[in-house]
């Protein structure tokens, strides 16, 4: 009975969304306050009903209700409880329900916490949000019902894809979706502003917290996915420019540009049309990712095997939302008043360069992702691969100037800046960056020039960021007590910016070190044989058969020595899931800040040799690789610090306006 309750709740949510999509926007047009305020209750009703549906599906997974087709296809009674719960969003239908649930959460959050937003703007925003809900709720109810029944019920399920049965990946989709869908509310704000015909500093201030929350979550989701790929897939890489990786990366790039553009709109009243366009394009890229993953265009560990008819529905929704919003933008944008003027050397100019590079980089990734699909369609099935060589050659050279400008940006003043004075303050940073690069060259004694250039620019950004923060609190210039007081009084948004910029520099060190100076050995080994790599001696002691909850595995025993001293034991596994009929690789990693010693095993060299104990062993040493996830964590924490700043809380502007009005003398 619970699945029927969930199905009925989705139908009620659709009814609520239809009301919310029409009544509040009519109220805003006619000035009817009651109709505008109806958006609050319909948004809360939506999130309540979709929440009931999501809880009903999760209950079916937890209890292994195999009368539900979705549970039968993506679960098994022997599966650990954590992965039963994660199975709720491990399929097309379940992940779509999670998508819609997060969509309604954002709508409800604006209705509850947006008390400072003018009633007309909030009503229009929530109506636009409801238009998106109507599209996805109808898609789910008519083509992708997560509560379809299966009679007679089978005795057990087919199990979730073993690659997805991992703690890291259990949290990866919710974080990604929170980021994807979080940009929907920014899109709704943008369309509402176009309908209203007004974009100002207050609008930018209202939009920034929602943009920042979505960006943080998308950052965490991408980082967690790269970490999962690194330790789970067994090839030792953290990014492969897979098309489905790219469709999560593109909204992140555009969302980063949107964050910085909104700052200019808020502080200087400039970039109004550009900020609106970025808000539309960022969410459009999120929808594009949804289409690519669910249309059957791609075969990937990330993609859902979905028939093309469902993809056509999403394609229609994509065309309607993107086409409609861009048409509205082309009509309304020329009417917006231009913002403040600025000189070529200024903070506005620096942020403009930031935006242009990020937008161009997004275009490059989009071209490399979609071109093989168009080529296959035009040539009638002939396949073309666009892989890491293209992306590395086209994308990385664009990012280096961006990182260099990031180091300069915080030193530039608004409207007009003294470039000579800025460079004077950064001369010591430049010298230290060159010295650090020379030290890396001395230690590595080989590598591409681009690698050393990347290290130098990463160190430049890190030191420039630290110096700028020290200047703000006047560290070593005044007493320690005074510096501490300045640290406490400095806005948390300033601390967040410094932490995020430093985090990117740290992550960049990890990207470069693990890519340029990685060592790898792939060998056939029998018990007692040793492999030498990066100063480590790794001895294969043999392999044993072990059992897990719903799998059995061949586990290798490796002894790691350096200079004759035993450092650790590593136990990589090759798991077999009998129900799913598939194998996975579980790597074993010795992690340090200096680098990772990474080991995985594959199938025996041959059946004959395997019987005598010979295995394919993959050993890698990846310098600085953990800096990738340390830097990513710093990015997320920096965003969190900024989000906690009182100036970005949604209730502050109204109180400030009220306070300023109270100071106006009565006539």
């Amino acid at each position: 009975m619970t699945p029927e309750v969930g199905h009925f709740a989705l139908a009620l949510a659709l009814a609520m969304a239809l009301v919310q999509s029409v009544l509040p926007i009519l109220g805003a047009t006619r000035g009817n306050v009651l109709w505008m305020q109806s958006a609050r209750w319909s948004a809360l009703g939506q999130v309540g009903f979709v929440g009931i549906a999501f809880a009903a599906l999760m209950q079916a997974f937890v209890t292994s209700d195999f009368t539900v087709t979705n549970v039968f296809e993506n679960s098994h009674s022997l599966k650990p409880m954590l992965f039963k719960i994660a199975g709720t969003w491990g399929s097309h239908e379940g992940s779509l329900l999670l998508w819609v649930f997060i969509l309604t959460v954002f709508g409800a959050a604006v209705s509850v916490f947006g008390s400072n937003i003018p009633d007309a703007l909030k009503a229009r925003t929530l109506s636009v949000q409801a238009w998106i809900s109507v599209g996805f709720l109808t898609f789910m109810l008519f083509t992708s019902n997560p509560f379809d029944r299966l009679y007679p019920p089978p005795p057990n399920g087919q199990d979730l894809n073993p690659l997805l049965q991992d703690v890291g990946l259990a949290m990866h989709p919710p974080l990604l979706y929170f980021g994807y869908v979080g940009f929907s509310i920014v899109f709704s704000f943008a369309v509402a502003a176009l309908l209203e015909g007004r974009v100002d500093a207050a609008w930018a201030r209202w939009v920034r917290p929602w943009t920042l929350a979505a960006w943080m979550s998308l950052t965490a989701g991408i980082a967690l996915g790269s970490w999962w790929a690194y330790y789970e897939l067994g090839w030792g890489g953290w990014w492969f420019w897979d098309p489905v990786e790219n469709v999560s990366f593109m909204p992140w790039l555009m969302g980063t540009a949107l964050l910085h553009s909104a700052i200019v709109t808020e502080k200087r009243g400039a970039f109004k049309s550009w900020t609106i366009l970025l808000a539309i394009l960022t969410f459009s890229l999120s929808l594009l990712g949804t289409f690519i993953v669910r249309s059957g265009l791609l075969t990937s560990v990330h993609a859902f095997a979905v028939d093309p008819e469902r993809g056509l529905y999403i394609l229609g929704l994509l065309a309607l939302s993107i086409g409609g919003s861009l048409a509205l933008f082309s009509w309304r944008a020329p009417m917006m008043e231009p913002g403040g003027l600025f000189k070529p050397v200024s903070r506005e100019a620096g942020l403009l360069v930031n935006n242009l590079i990020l937008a161009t980089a997004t275009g490059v990734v989009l071209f490399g992702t979609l071109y093989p699909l168009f080529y296959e369609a035009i040539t009638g099935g002939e396949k073309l691969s666009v892989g890491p060589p293209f992306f590395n050659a086209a994308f990385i050279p664009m990012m280096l100037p961006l990182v260099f400008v990031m180091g300069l940006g915080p030193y530039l003043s608004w409207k007009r800046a003294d470039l000579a004075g800025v460079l004077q303050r950064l001369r010591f940073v430049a010298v230290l960056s060159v010295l650090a690069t020379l030290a890396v060259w001395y230690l590595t004694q080989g590598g591409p020039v681009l690698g050393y250039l990347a290290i130098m620019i990463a160190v430049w950004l890190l030191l420039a960021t630290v110096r700028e923060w020290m200047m703000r609190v006047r560290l070593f210039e005044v007493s320690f007590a005074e510096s501490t007081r300045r640290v406490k009084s400095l806005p948390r948004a300033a601390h967040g910016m410094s932490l995020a910029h430093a985090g990117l520099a740290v992550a960049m060190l990890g990207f470069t070190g693990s890519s340029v100076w990685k060592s790898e050995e792939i060998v056939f080994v029998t018990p007692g044989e040793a492999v030498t790599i990066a100063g480590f001696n790794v001895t294969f002691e043999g392999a044993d058969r072990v059992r897990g909850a719903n799998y059995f595995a061949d586990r290798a025993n490796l002894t790691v020595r350096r200079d004759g001293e035993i450092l650790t034991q590593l136990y990589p596994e090759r798991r077999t899931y009998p129900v799913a009929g598939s194998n996975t690789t579980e790597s074993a990693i010795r992690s340090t800040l200096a680098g990772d010693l990474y080991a995985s095993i594959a199938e025996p060299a041959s059946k004959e040799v395997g019987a005598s104990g010979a295995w394919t062993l993959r050993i890698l040493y990846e310098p600085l690789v953990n800096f990738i996830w340390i830097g990513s964590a710093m990015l997320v924490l920096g965003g969190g610090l900024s989000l906690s700043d009182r100036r970005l809380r949604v209730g502050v502007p109204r109180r400030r306006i009220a306070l300023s009005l109270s100071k106006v003398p009565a006539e």
Side-chain angles (χ1 to χ4, degrees):
M1 187 62 186
T2 302
E4 281 68 33
V5 171
H7 193 190
F8 186 59
L10 285 180
L12 291 176
L14 177 58
M16 283 283 185
L18 287 170
V19 172
Q20 184 182 329
S21 66
V22 176
L23 195 59
I25 201 167
L26 285 179
T29 303
R30 299 181 180 183
N32 189 314
V33 176
L34 187 61
W35 288 9
M36 287 190 284
Q37 291 179 347
S38 70
R40 172 185 174 92
W41 304 109
S42 53
L44 292 174
Q46 265 198 83
V47 74
F49 287 126
V50 177
I52 290 171
F54 188 75
L57 184 62
M58 184 175 292
Q59 193 264 350
F61 272 90
V62 168
T63 59
S64 295
D65 183 0
F66 297 120
T67 65
V68 178
T69 303
N70 193 19
V71 178
F72 163 71
E73 292 177 348
N74 298 282
S75 191
H76 191 273
S77 58
L78 295 179
K79 192 165 64 172
M81 181 56 68
L82 173 64
F83 302 132
K84 286 185 178 181
I85 294 172
T88 308
W89 54 80
S91 65
H92 164 70
E93 293 81 4
S95 66
L96 190 62
L97 181 54
L98 177 64
W99 210 101
V100 175
F101 179 56
I102 296 173
L103 184 72
T104 59
V105 165
F106 271 95
V110 169
S111 71
V112 172
F113 299 112
S115 58
N116 67 303
I117 303 173
D119 289 339
L121 178 62
K122 183 161 68 170
R124 289 187 174 98
T125 299
L126 291 176
S127 283
V128 175
Q129 190 78 354
W131 297 347
I132 304 171
S133 293
V134 168
F136 279 92
L137 283 168
T138 52
F139 175 56
M140 185 160 40
L141 286 169
F142 298 147
T143 72
S144 307
N145 180 14
F147 299 105
D148 277 342
R149 288 287 198 173
L150 181 64
Y151 290 107
N156 223 321
Q158 295 181 345
D159 209 358
L160 181 67
N161 182 345
L163 286 174
L164 307 183
Q165 296 183 37
D166 179 85
V167 175
L169 209 66
M171 292 305 300
H172 171 63
L175 287 171
L176 275 186
Y177 291 171
F178 199 88
Y180 284 150
V181 184
F183 287 121
S184 69
I185 201 67
V186 183
F187 170 85
S188 298
F189 268 111
V191 174
L194 289 173
L195 291 171
E196 199 170 82
R198 183 167 61 90
V199 176
D200 53 19
W203 177 88
R205 190 180 300 116
W206 293 321
V207 165
R208 276 184 63 199
W210 307 103
T211 307
L212 191 54
W215 179 87
M216 284 170 51
S217 183
L218 190 57
T219 303
I222 292 173
L224 192 58
S226 69
W227 180 60
W228 166 80
Y230 173 66
Y231 72 78
E232 175 68 22
L233 298 184
W235 59 288
W238 39 267
W239 193 263
F240 194 64
W241 296 105
D242 180 281
V244 185
E245 291 175 341
N246 293 347
V247 297
S248 67
F249 190 43
M250 288 185 290
W252 185 88
L253 290 170
M254 201 63 80
T256 304
L258 173 60
L259 268 178
H260 292 83
S261 179
I263 293 173
V264 183
T265 304
E266 178 186 347
K267 301 293 186 183
R268 296 282 298 131
F271 298 3
K272 293 179 183 178
S273 299
W274 177 244
T275 302
I276 291 286
L277 181 60
L278 285 177
I280 293 171
L281 293 179
T282 301
F283 183 60
S284 298
L285 289 169
S286 297
L287 289 179
L288 177 65
T290 302
F291 166 69
I292 289 178
V293 169
R294 301 172 191 277
S295 62
L297 289 175
L298 298 174
T299 302
S300 166
V301 66
H302 308 85
F304 297 104
V306 179
D307 57 274
E309 286 76 12
R310 292 177 179 177
L312 287 175
Y313 191 106
I314 300 179
L315 184 61
L317 181 62
L318 187 69
L320 184 63
S321 58
I322 297 177
S325 58
L326 290 179
L328 180 61
F329 175 81
S330 65
W331 173 42
R332 286 288 200 175
M335 304 176 189
M336 296 180 188
E337 296 181 3
L341 300 176
F342 56 89
K343 295 293 183 179
V345 179
S346 62
R347 183 168 294 190
E348 292 97 325
L351 290 171
L352 179 61
V353 171
N354 162 291
N355 272 222
L356 292 176
I357 294 177
L358 286 170
T360 304
T362 305
V364 168
V365 178
L366 181 65
F367 172 80
T369 303
L370 296 184
Y371 179 72
L373 302 179
F374 286 124
Y375 183 82
E376 183 178 353
I378 293 172
T379 59
E382 185 177 345
K383 294 187 180 296
L384 177 72
S385 176
V386 175
F390 166 78
F391 289 106
N392 292 337
F395 181 83
I396 294 175
M398 280 191 292
M399 288 297 101
L400 296 183
L402 173 65
V403 177
F404 177 77
V405 172
M406 284 178 64
L408 289 175
Y411 293 85
L412 300 174
S413 55
W414 295 106
K415 295 180 66 175
R416 176 186 296 176
D418 177 16
L419 183 58
V422 170
L423 296 177
Q424 180 75 9
R425 281 181 284 177
L426 287 171
R427 66 186 187 282
F428 188 58
V429 169
V431 171
L432 287 179
S433 302
V434 172
L435 291 177
T437 307
L438 291 174
V440 171
W441 174 79
Y442 175 78
L443 292 172
T444 56
Q445 296 182 349
V449 173
L450 192 62
Y452 293 110
L453 183 60
I455 290 289
M456 183 171 64
I457 293 179
V459 174
W460 155 268
L461 175 59
L462 180 61
L463 295 180
T465 301
V466 172
R467 172 157 172 72
E468 193 269 341
W469 181 85
M470 291 171 61
M471 289 172 60
R472 281 176 179 264
V473 301
R474 300 191 65 185
L475 190 63
F476 306 129
E477 297 178 19
V478 296
S479 67
F480 182 76
E482 174 63 15
S483 292
T484 303
R485 187 193 66 78
R486 286 175 172 269
V487 168
K488 293 178 180 179
S489 62
L490 196 66
R492 275 177 278 185
H495 290 302
M497 179 198 72
S498 298
L499 185 59
H501 283 193
L504 180 62
V506 170
M508 192 171 168
L509 292 173
F511 298 150
T512 307
S514 63
S515 300
V516 175
W517 292 286
K518 176 167 67 175
S519 304
E520 181 176 7
E521 294 287 345
I522 302 176
V523 295
F524 298 141
V525 291
T526 55
E529 287 192 58
V531 180
T532 300
I533 183 170
F536 296 94
N537 182 274
V538 182
T539 304
F540 177 69
E541 307 290 357
D544 302 311
R545 177 63 58 91
V546 297
R547 288 195 171 272
N550 60 337
Y551 66 87
F552 62 86
D554 293 304
R555 176 183 293 172
N557 182 1
L558 306 176
T559 302
V560 180
R561 295 179 176 86
R562 174 179 276 175
D563 299 328
E565 180 181 351
I566 296 179
L567 297 180
T568 188
Q569 300 287 135
L570 298 178
Y571 301 98
E573 296 180 1
R574 180 169 177 79
R575 293 181 179 178
T576 300
Y577 291 79
V579 175
S582 60
N583 300 315
T584 65
T585 298
E586 299 292 321
S587 60
I589 306 172
R590 178 185 182 267
S591 291
T592 65
L593 277 180
D596 279 5
L597 184 65
Y598 181 105
S600 63
I601 58 170
E603 294 180 351
S606 66
K607 290 185 178 180
E608 294 77 12
V609 180
S612 64
W615 291 83
T616 304
L617 179 64
R618 186 186 197 124
I619 301 288
L620 301 97
Y621 182 71
E622 305 215 26
L624 307 181
V625 68
N626 288 298
F627 281 48
I628 296 173
W629 298 291
I630 294 172
S632 299
M634 291 170 66
L635 282 167
V636 176
L637 289 175
L641 268 179
S642 296
L643 191 60
S644 68
D645 194 313
R646 186 176 184 277
R647 295 180 303 169
L648 290 184
R649 295 180 193 168
V650 291
V652 172
R654 172 171 287 178
R655 290 199 292 272
R656 287 184 175 174
I657 293 171
L659 180 62
S660 62
L661 291 176
S662 68
K663 294 179 180 179
V664 177
E667 294 183 354

